[in-house]
């Protein structure tokens, strides 16, 4: 193998290894909230693979997080970075920008449930900077 081909293979392998590890999101239930016109409740689970993280984003919703397994690191803009373990909770308000959301472990899965109160039909996650 020539040096050029070897360099190309190494660049490709490095790109794959450095690709962000995306979270797996599973919707559990969505329910209109008739007492709160125009709003819905949405419950999801999120699984961060080892080393996984989210981009900076916002939910434009009230988001209540409950950690099921592993440990996660969370932070909203202007807030303190916190590491959460099973049984611990986190809250994000409609105007919060989520600047840190990641698995605290490079070797173990992290899983948490999120309950959101949001505008009916609005996206769950909106990119932010």
């Amino acid at each position: 193998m020539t040096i050029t081909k070897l360099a190309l293979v190494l660049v490709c392998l490095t790109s794959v290894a450095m690709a962000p590890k995306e979270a797996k999101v599973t919707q559990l239930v969505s329910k209109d909230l008739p007492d709160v016109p125009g709003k819905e409740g949405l419950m999801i689970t999120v699984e961060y693979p080892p080393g996984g993280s989210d981009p900076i984003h916002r939910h434009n919703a009230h988001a209540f997080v409950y950690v099921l397994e592993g440990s996660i690191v969370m932070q909203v803009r202007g807030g303190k970075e916190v590491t959460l373990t099973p049984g611990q909770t986190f809250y994000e308000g409609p105007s919060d920008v989520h600047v840190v959301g990641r698995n605290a472990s490079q070797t173990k899965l992290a899983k948490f449930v999120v309950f959101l109160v949001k505008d009916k039909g609005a996206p769950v996650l909106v990119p932010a900077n």
Side-chain angles (χ1 to χ4, degrees), residues 18-35:
M18 292 176 61
K21 298 174 182 177
E22 294 186 16
K24 175 185 173 192
V25 177
T26 304
Q27 181 175 318
L28 301 175
V29 66
S30 176
K31 179 78 173 147
D32 289 348
L33 301 174
D35 294 343

Side-chain angles (χ1 to χ4, degrees), residues 40-111:
E40 66 183 342
L42 175 66
M43 189 179 294
I44 60 175
T45 57
V46 180
E47 293 181 21
Y48 284 149
S53 64
D54 285 330
I56 296 175
H57 64 275
R58 61 185 308 136
H59 295 287
N60 298 334
H62 294 277
F64 300 86
V65 174
Y66 181 83
V67 181
L68 299 170
E69 62 183 272
S71 59
I72 60 175
V73 181
M74 297 284 180
Q75 180 183 12
V76 294
R77 186 169 288 149
K80 183 180 171 185
E81 184 176 289
V82 294
T83 300
L84 307 167
T85 56
Q88 293 186 305
T89 61
F90 186 77
Y91 170 79
E92 291 178 57
S95 61
D96 286 330
V97 176
H98 195 148
V99 293
V100 176
R102 65 179 165 83
N103 189 335
S105 173
Q106 295 295 318
T107 59
K108 296 179 183 175
L109 175 85
K111 184 175 182 179

